[in-house]
């Protein structure tokens, strides 16, 4: 097997006086979608933000594409090919859709072919291309957040609950865009509470609890085993 695109080794992260990550070990295979699962408050978002550098790791190591990036600034991680979609979307409400997309470009101007692909994946963004992002619906804002991360071809995408609170039709659009992204060769680490989406998209899975990864394996194995789901997460995927 090829070297994973991302490896976390004994990662510890504190936020204020709280010790959130308590030795996270995780590998993200190249060209796959890895689901990061677990109950609320177990450290999934902190894991993504630590990888991106928004929270500084107290100890441990983050290896990305064979390089140690543990102490690199956020901007350097972005330039190295990591895209991040935060749970709060992080869009600029007073800027247009186009301006938000341009801000996502780190290596040059917006590529016309890439723009065409994104607008085919998210047609609503083309409709509101010159409108302020603050005027978009919640689902359209989430589309913009994801599209902005995809505006340049990146090696690794960190995506935090992209389907949260969205209507089924928009969830389907999101899922299809992520499938296309994977087909282009990208690696994706995806936090998702919608288990039908996790089941449909995930190749591998890691389950967190109390600031650690407590299980890793194939997503299909987890999806097929209700007893394992309930033991790891306290619930069954069939009920969510």
């Amino acid at each position: 097997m090829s070297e994973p695109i991302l490896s976390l080794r004994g990662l510890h992260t504190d936020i204020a006086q709280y010790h959130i990550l308590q030795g996270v070990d995780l590998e993200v295979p190249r060209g796959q979608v890895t689901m990061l699962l677990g109950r609320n408050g177990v450290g999934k978002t902190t894991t993504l933000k630590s990888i991106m550098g928004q929270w500084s790791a107290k100890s441990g190591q983050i290896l990305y594409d064979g390089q140690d990036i543990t102490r690199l600034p956020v901007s350097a991680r972005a330039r190295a090919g990591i895209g991040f979609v935060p749970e709060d979307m992080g869009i600029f409400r007073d800027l247009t859709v186009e301006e938000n997309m341009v801000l996502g470009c780190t290596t040059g101007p917006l590529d016309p072919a890439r723009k065409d692909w994104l607008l085919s994946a998210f047609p609503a963004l083309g409709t509101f291309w010159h409108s302020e992002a603050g005027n978009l619906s919640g689902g359209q804002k989430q589309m913009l957040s994801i599209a902005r991360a995809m505006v340049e071809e990146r090696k690794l995408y960190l995506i935090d609950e992209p389907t949260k609170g969205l209507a089924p039709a928009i969830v389907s659009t999101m899922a299809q865009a992520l499938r296309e992204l994977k087909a282009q060769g990208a690696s994706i680490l995806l936090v998702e509470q919608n288990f039908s989406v996790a089941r449909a998209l995930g190749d591998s899975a890691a389950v967190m609890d109390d600031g650690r990864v407590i299980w890793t394996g194939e997503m299909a194995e987890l999806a097929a085993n209700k007893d394992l789901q309930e033991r790891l997460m306290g619930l069954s995927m069939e009920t969510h």
Side-chain angles (χ1 to χ4, degrees):
M1 293 186 62
S2 64
E3 177 187 85
I5 186 72
L6 179 75
S7 295
L8 308 184
R9 299 177 179 176
L11 198 67
H12 289 255
T13 299
D14 293 350
I15 300 177
Q17 72 270 34
Y18 300 105
H19 188 186
I20 307 299
L21 300 188
Q22 303 185 32
V24 172
D25 295 304
L26 175 66
E27 289 192 346
V28 176
R30 291 179 185 273
Q32 292 191 15
V33 178
T34 300
M35 308 305 304
L36 188 58
L37 306 173
R39 292 171 290 187
N40 289 331
V42 298
K44 303 185 299 296
T45 292
T46 302
T47 298
L48 295 191
K49 289 187 173 182
S50 297
I51 295 166
M52 197 66 217
Q54 292 187 350
W55 292 111
S56 297
K58 180 181 179 181
S59 62
Q61 193 174 38
I62 304 170
L63 297 175
Y64 163 69
D65 203 22
Q67 302 296 317
D68 187 342
I69 65 167
T70 312
R71 302 301 166 199
L72 287 183
V74 174
S75 58
R77 301 183 201 210
R79 288 194 299 271
I82 302 177
F84 180 44
V85 180
E87 184 180 5
D88 63 3
M89 296 182 279
I91 64 172
F92 296 93
R93 298 174 57 87
D94 295 335
L95 299 182
T96 66
V97 169
E98 178 183 18
E99 289 166 339
N100 270 273
M101 294 289 283
V102 169
L103 284 176
C105 299
T106 60
T107 62
L110 177 58
D111 177 65
R114 192 74 174 177
K115 174 187 171 183
D116 289 345
W117 171 67
L118 288 168
L119 295 187
S120 69
F122 302 109
L125 298 185
T127 301
F128 297 100
W129 189 246
H130 298 295
S131 301
E132 290 186 359
N135 295 328
L136 301 179
S137 69
Q140 291 163 351
K141 289 173 183 174
Q142 188 64 285
M143 289 180 187
L144 174 57
S145 181
I146 291 179
R148 187 178 59 186
M150 298 177 179
V151 73
E152 293 179 333
E153 186 175 346
R154 307 189 197 279
K155 297 177 183 178
L156 174 66
Y157 295 84
L158 313 172
I159 306 177
D160 197 356
E161 295 202 41
T163 68
K164 185 177 180 180
L166 300 184
I170 298 178
V171 171
S172 178
T173 298
M174 295 274 190
Q176 182 57 36
L178 293 176
R179 288 190 189 96
E180 292 180 18
L181 195 64
K182 175 189 168 184
Q184 295 173 7
S187 308
I188 302 171
L189 180 59
L190 180 62
V191 172
E192 183 55 76
Q193 296 285 14
N194 185 324
F195 287 143
S196 64
V197 172
R199 185 187 298 112
L201 291 179
D203 297 300
S204 58
V207 180
M208 292 189 69
D209 192 27
D210 197 24
R212 296 181 177 88
V213 172
I214 60 171
W215 184 89
T216 59
E218 298 298 313
M219 186 66 225
E221 176 187 356
L222 181 61
N225 192 329
K226 289 188 289 185
D227 291 338
L228 182 61
Q229 296 161 24
E230 291 174 356
R231 177 167 62 84
L232 294 174
M233 297 177 286
L235 46 80
S236 168
M237 288 184 174
E238 290 185 357
T239 63
H240 286 69

